[in-house]
């Protein structure tokens, strides 16, 4: 079976300096619109500014009819896709911030062997039913909004996107606090979106755990990953669930607002696990 192509965009300069966005199959949109996969809310950026498409041949960038242009290594692009190469420089509308294309997702700052990280899974609850209720076009717009919110808060809390999962993400953080703060911020922003769009109502569940995952082919495996995924599956729409180790780390510093949910037998996990809900302060 063919491997899915993986790559990343690394932001340089400005407040987003060092931010990494992973790329995979499909189209990633860049623009000022909240529906964009990469939201760039800056003067001179069009609502739909540029796009990057990943396919079996590689990654292709094109301008999306922007007012102030998309530039690849100083050359202005049009609507015809151009294949990206290692180290290519992408500039939008004269911004100080630019992006560097890295052809392998191994450039992502995922943990190395023996490194302890906080692992977070997000998942849109009943995404199939959401699509049936809203229709393909509106549901896709809602999914893009979800992706933009999660990625924006991930970047703001020093997270690293390991992979997108269709209607969710797997993300790592350097500490339990940064992961929890990100989860709370995601749920707050989604709550604001739902309040402004009462006919849509997208519900997201989030699960967190801490451990030393196994790194292989720019992906993460092992007990810590399995536990975070199973914890996520227990949560309902709008909820954040965490394993006991997350609770212990937060309690040790007097941070976090958690309540015990109960003890559960989880698929693939040998011992019963005590689960906690993280609630907004």
């Amino acid at each position: 079976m063919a491997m899915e192509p993986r790559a990343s965009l690394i932001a340089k300069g400005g407040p987003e300096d060092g931010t990494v966005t992973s790329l995979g199959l499909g189209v990633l949109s860049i623009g000022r619109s909240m529906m964009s996969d990469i939201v760039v809310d800056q003067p001179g950026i069009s609502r739909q500014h540029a796009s990057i498409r990943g396919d079996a041949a590689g990654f292709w960038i094109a301008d999306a009819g922007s007012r102030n242009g998309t530039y690849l290594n100083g050359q202005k692009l049009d609507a015809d896709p151009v294949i990206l190469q290692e180290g290519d420089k992408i500039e939008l509308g004269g911004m100080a911030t630019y992006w560097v294309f890295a052809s392998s997702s191994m450039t992502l700052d995922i943990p190395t062997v023996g490194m302890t990280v906080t692992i977070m899974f997000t998942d849109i609850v009943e995404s199939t039913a959401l699509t049936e209720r809203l229709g393909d076009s509106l549901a896709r717009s809602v999914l893009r909004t979800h992706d933009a919110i999660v990625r924006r808060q991930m970047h703001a809390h020093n997270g690293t996107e390991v992979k997108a999962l269709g209607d969710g993400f797997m993300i790592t953080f350097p500490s339990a606090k940064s992961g929890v703060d990100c989860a709370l911020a995601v749920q707050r922003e989604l709550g604001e979106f739902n309040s402004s769009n009462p006919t849509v109502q997208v519900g997201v569940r989030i699960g967190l755990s801490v451990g030393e995952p196994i790194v292989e082919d720019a992906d993460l495996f092992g007990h810590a990953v399995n536990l975070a995924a199973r914890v996520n599956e227990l949560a309902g729409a709008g909820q954040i669930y965490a394993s006991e180790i997350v609770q212990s780390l937060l309690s040790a510093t007097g941070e976090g607002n958690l309540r015990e949910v109960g003890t559960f037998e989880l698929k693939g996990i040998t011992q019963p696990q005590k689960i906690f809900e993280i609630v907004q302060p």
Side-chain angles (χ1 to χ4, degrees):
M1 183 174 66
M3 292 286 291
E4 177 182 340
R6 300 283 297 275
S8 59
L9 292 180
I10 306 170
K12 300 291 185 179
E16 299 298 320
D17 187 56
T19 296
V20 177
T21 300
S22 62
L23 305 174
L25 290 176
V27 178
L28 180 143
S29 60
I30 306 171
R32 192 161 42 84
S33 169
M34 288 294 293
M35 301 298 182
S36 299
D37 295 304
I38 299 182
V39 178
V40 184
D41 189 13
Q42 296 289 334
I45 302 301
S46 300
R47 289 181 59 79
Q48 296 179 341
H49 200 103
S51 67
I52 296 175
R53 185 186 79 246
D55 59 26
F59 294 89
W60 308 74
I61 185 169
D63 187 73
S66 68
R67 289 172 299 161
N68 296 316
T70 301
Y71 296 84
L72 180 64
N73 301 323
Q75 298 296 312
K76 189 173 184 180
L77 301 178
D78 55 24
D80 292 329
V82 176
I83 195 163
L84 289 164
Q85 305 289 338
E86 179 77 24
D88 276 351
K89 180 179 179 180
I90 300 167
E91 298 172 281
L92 306 178
M95 283 182 60
T97 299
Y98 62 93
W99 289 263
V100 173
F101 175 77
S103 61
S104 170
S105 61
M106 289 302 291
T107 58
L108 292 177
D109 189 23
I110 61 174
T112 55
V113 175
M115 185 174 182
T116 300
V117 295
T118 296
I119 302 166
M120 181 172 86
F121 281 89
T122 76
D123 180 36
I124 296 179
V125 178
E126 297 183 351
S127 58
T128 301
L130 182 71
T131 299
E132 292 176 352
R133 177 164 56 88
L134 300 179
D136 290 342
S137 180
L138 182 53
R140 180 57 189 164
S141 292
V142 170
L143 179 60
R144 287 183 181 276
T145 297
H146 158 268
D147 291 354
I149 289 172
V150 173
R151 284 180 167 133
R152 179 164 51 254
Q153 295 301 340
M154 173 189 72
H155 295 156
H157 293 88
N158 201 26
T160 297
E161 180 181 329
V162 178
K163 58 184 175 182
L165 302 167
D167 55 2
F169 291 92
M170 176 182 174
I171 299 168
T172 63
F173 296 88
S175 70
K177 184 179 186 304
S178 58
V180 167
D181 287 348
C182 177
L184 290 168
V186 166
Q187 294 292 25
R188 281 196 300 270
E189 191 168 350
L190 284 168
E192 293 168 1
F193 172 80
N194 286 336
S195 296
S196 302
N197 299 273
T199 61
V200 175
Q201 298 303 297
V202 57
V204 171
R205 58 181 159 224
I206 299 176
L208 296 135
S209 192
V210 173
E212 298 180 0
I214 298 168
V215 182
E216 186 176 308
D217 294 331
D219 203 349
L220 303 182
F221 303 90
H223 175 78
V225 175
N226 294 338
L227 181 55
R230 298 307 180 196
V231 170
N232 178 67
E233 291 171 358
L234 289 176
Q239 292 184 314
I240 305 166
Y241 277 13
S243 64
E244 187 171 10
I245 189 171
V246 175
Q247 185 268 341
S248 298
L249 289 169
L250 292 177
S251 296
T253 59
E255 297 173 303
N257 187 12
L258 295 88
R259 69 172 187 87
E260 186 174 339
V261 178
T263 301
F264 297 84
E265 300 277 354
L266 302 178
K267 183 179 178 181
I269 306 297
T270 304
Q271 299 295 326
Q273 299 291 316
K274 191 176 292 185
I275 304 300
F276 295 81
E277 181 178 9
I278 301 168
V279 296
Q280 297 286 352

